Amino acid sequence: MGIRSGTQYLDTLNSMRPHVVIDGQVVSENIADHPAFRNVARSYARLFDLQHDPEYADRLTYPSPSSGDRVNASFLVPRTVADLERRRAATACWAEYSQGFLGRTGDYMNGCLTALSAAEHWFAQADPMFGENIRRYYEFCRENDLLTTHTLIPPQVNRAVSGSEQLGGHLSARITEERDDGIIINGARMLATNAPIADELLVFPSTLLRGTPEDAPYSFAFALPNDAEGLRYLCRTPLHNGGSIHDEPLASRFEEMDAVVIFDNVFVPNERIFMLGHPDLCNGFYSETGAGALMTHQVVTRTIAKSEFFLGLAAELSESIGIGGFQHIQEDLAELIQTVEIGKALLRASEVDATPNDDGVMLPKWATLNAARNWYPKVAQRFPQIIRKLSASGLMALPGEADLASAALPDIERYLQTKTLTGPERVRLFKLAHDASISGFSGRQALYEYFFFGDPVRMAGALVKSYDTAPVQARVREFLARTD
């Protein structure tokens, strides 16, 4: 089959029968037409269509090694630095379409599956069947152009204890029965972004397991269709308020839903299980297979596109109201320029210093990517602050799109014009600034980026533990020993 069109994606989505709870309503059919999901589903459909666009097809696709059909480039197993560059070019294409605001595009988990598919020897430590399963599943997703999402962490009930101890072990998703043909899962997981409009749900390891017998029921990796029997999604309230593209230019296009996943006697067949038990192996699921490196390569590419968007928006705002000559404004613009260029430099450095792992997969340098993923969540918090500073009271003097078609238009044209823009043009630009800096959508985006890879403090600790400081410490000791 190969790459799908947007229409094929939407038709498949509407043919599925998930159990989605949102604002007190159960949605179980025609999910792509529901008001909470319609717009973002069509943004994703546009990504599928870009694969068929002659302008982007060569960047976004490559011939399948098994069928010869065109498949998405995020499934390309990188064997050379050029392959990494090709993967990056494809990710950048999608990221620039959404300005980096779609955080769960298919290439994110495709990168994970790509690395896992080549790590059969690692899975064989538990059971050769798991390596065969993940390779077949990767090929299934590749050849059918499926959109997958994932769920990782236990519900936020009592973080002072492990998942196996919360509510007597009956809260977090766990194995409650092992059968000859598969397993039964009960409990809950957070936080499945985009789950209602995905084809498949990946349930992979996340928080570190202690390796005790009590952790075995929580140690697993498997995949399910989005509408598997017994699977329920509990969604948050939408952050798109129903406004038009003019009034809510980001939220109306890119509002990705977040959901708690509830497993109610969900059956997972053997062929969809990739790990079972082995808490110690689950703890190395991303680091020892290369999945974490390919996933982070995609994320850093996406966040560069987002950084570039905020730089462009800040520059437009500055130019439009004539504040570019003020030094405190130039300082903010310089900060955004630095963020863009540092992100690009880290990404390229990770590619230039890439090395193949034991499976022959060319992986970008992890230390560099790890630095990038620790750095970006903090600097990204400055983006909306800078936009608010540049826009100031202009964010609160914004008539809506309906006013442009009313008797108020002459007043808008006269009193809301700027140095470079007409009144209606200024309203549209500042509506974008509003949605990027003070709306509910922008608040969720800031939170999402800050905790994308987990608690930043724990991430910093992991960075320190994984980074080899011995060479630079030796230099210091050698310098102290010098007498010249």
Side-chain angles (χ1 to χ4, degrees), residues 6 9-10 13 31-34 36-48 194 197 253 255:
Y9 160 68
L10 294 173
L13 199 56
I31 196 85
D33 295 328
H34 187 276
F37 312 113
R38 184 185 188 282
N39 289 4
V40 70
R42 277 150 182 79
S43 289
Y44 269 78
R46 176 59 179 151
L47 298 181
F48 283 103
N194 241 26
I197 64 164
R253 294 175 169 105
E255 155 71 328

Side-chain angles (χ1 to χ4, degrees), residues 25 45 49 101 147-148 154 220 228 260 262-263 482:
Q25 178 188 11
D49 282 337
F101 285 96
L147 173 62
T148 65
F220 46 70
V260 176
I262 300 168
F263 301 86
R482 281 170 51 183

Side-chain angles (χ1 to χ4, degrees), residues 153-171:
I153 60 177
Q156 191 185 52
V157 174
N158 181 3
R159 291 294 174 85
V161 298
S162 69
S164 63
E165 297 174 290
Q166 296 188 35
L167 291 185
H170 298 291
L171 183 75

Side-chain angles (χ1 to χ4, degrees), residues 13 38 85 97 103 105 193 209 228 248 280 288-289 319 378 397 422 434 437 475 480:
L13 199 56
R38 184 185 188 282
E85 293 171 343
Y97 166 76
T105 49
T193 298
L209 300 162
E248 295 182 81
D280 53 333
E288 296 180 22
T289 62
E319 184 177 292
K378 297 178 177 65
T422 66
H434 181 282
S437 66
R475 281 177 51 192
L480 289 172

Side-chain angles (χ1 to χ4, degrees), residues 350-374:
S350 77
E351 294 172 351
V352 171
D353 293 334
T355 55
N357 66 6
D358 292 342
D359 300 302
V361 179
M362 185 64 70
L363 296 178
K365 186 176 182 180
W366 176 242
T368 307
L369 287 179
N370 204 5
R373 74 173 190 153
N374 274 266

Side-chain angles (χ1 to χ4, degrees), residues 306-329:
K306 197 171 193 178
S307 301
E308 290 174 330
F309 166 82
F310 276 97
L311 171 59
L313 177 59
E316 282 287 296
L317 291 167
S318 171
E319 184 177 292
S320 71
I321 56 176
I323 57 175
F326 298 115
Q327 288 185 329
H328 67 290
I329 301 300

Side-chain angles (χ1 to χ4, degrees), residues 61-368:
T61 68
Y62 77 107
S64 164
S66 60
S67 67
D69 294 332
R70 304 299 296 188
V71 294
N72 191 274
S74 57
F75 289 111
L76 175 68
V77 179
R79 303 295 184 185
T80 64
V81 171
D83 288 340
L84 285 175
E85 293 171 343
R86 186 170 187 183
R87 289 176 58 87
R88 187 229 313 150
T91 288
C93 183
W94 272 3
E96 289 165 9
Y97 166 76
S98 71
Q99 310 297 340
F101 285 96
L102 289 178
R104 279 294 185 268
T105 49
D107 48 355
Y108 177 61
M109 291 311 296
N110 291 352
C112 178
L113 292 172
T114 298
L116 295 175
S117 72
E120 288 192 56
H121 80 282
W122 183 84
F123 287 96
Q125 297 175 88
D127 191 323
M129 175 186 75
F130 296 147
E132 296 171 5
N133 285 352
I134 192 68
R135 176 177 48 78
R136 285 195 295 263
Y137 183 76
Y138 152 79
E139 292 172 353
F140 169 66
C141 292
R142 182 188 70 198
E143 298 304 315
N144 292 280
D145 203 14
L146 298 183
L147 173 62
T148 65
T149 191
H150 70 334
T151 183
L152 293 174
I153 60 177
Q156 191 185 52
V157 174
N158 181 3
R159 291 294 174 85
V161 298
S162 69
S164 63
E165 297 174 290
Q166 296 188 35
L167 291 185
H170 298 291
L171 183 75
S172 185
R174 66 205 180 281
I175 302 167
T176 54
E177 183 183 352
E178 293 190 38
R179 300 177 359 188
D180 290 340
D181 57 346
I183 56 176
I184 302 294
I185 301 291
N186 280 280
R189 275 280 190 99
M190 295 167 58
L191 187 63
T193 298
N194 241 26
I197 64 164
D199 296 294
E200 295 266 327
L201 176 70
L202 305 177
V203 187
F204 283 176
S206 176
T207 51
L208 290 178
L209 300 162
R210 298 168 301 174
T212 65
E214 290 78 17
D215 279 332
Y218 305 87
S219 307
F220 46 70
F222 59 83
L224 290 168
N226 197 34
D227 56 357
E229 185 177 355
L231 193 64
R232 301 197 298 269
Y233 296 120
L234 179 60
C235 300
R236 62 165 168 78
T237 298
L239 296 171
H240 173 220
N241 299 307
S244 65
I245 287 177
H246 179 282
D247 287 341
E248 295 182 81
L250 296 173
S252 65
R253 294 175 169 105
F254 307 133
E255 155 71 328
E256 292 178 308
M257 182 55 64
D258 306 301
V260 176
V261 184
I262 300 168
F263 301 86
D264 186 1
N265 288 317
V266 175
F267 172 67
V268 185
N270 283 333
E271 62 269 19
R272 282 178 165 264
I273 299 173
F274 314 129
M275 185 59 66
L276 196 60
H278 302 279
D280 53 333
L281 291 179
C282 284
N283 287 339
F285 192 80
Y286 302 99
S287 59
E288 296 180 22
T289 62
L294 290 190
M295 294 167 76
T296 307
H297 187 250
Q298 185 273 349
V299 172
V300 176
T301 304
R302 176 186 65 80
T303 56
I304 289 170
K306 197 171 193 178
S307 301
E308 290 174 330
F309 166 82
F310 276 97
L311 171 59
L313 177 59
E316 282 287 296
L317 291 167
S318 171
E319 184 177 292
S320 71
I321 56 176
I323 57 175
F326 298 115
Q327 288 185 329
H328 67 290
I329 301 300
Q330 293 171 355
E331 182 181 33
D332 289 335
L333 291 172
E335 181 180 341
L336 292 171
I337 292 170
Q338 292 161 22
T339 299
V340 168
E341 293 303 322
I342 289 172
K344 289 179 179 179
L346 288 169
L347 183 62
R348 287 294 291 129
S350 77
E351 294 172 351
V352 171
D353 293 334
T355 55
N357 66 6
D358 292 342
D359 300 302
V361 179
M362 185 64 70
L363 296 178
K365 186 176 182 180
W366 176 242
T368 307

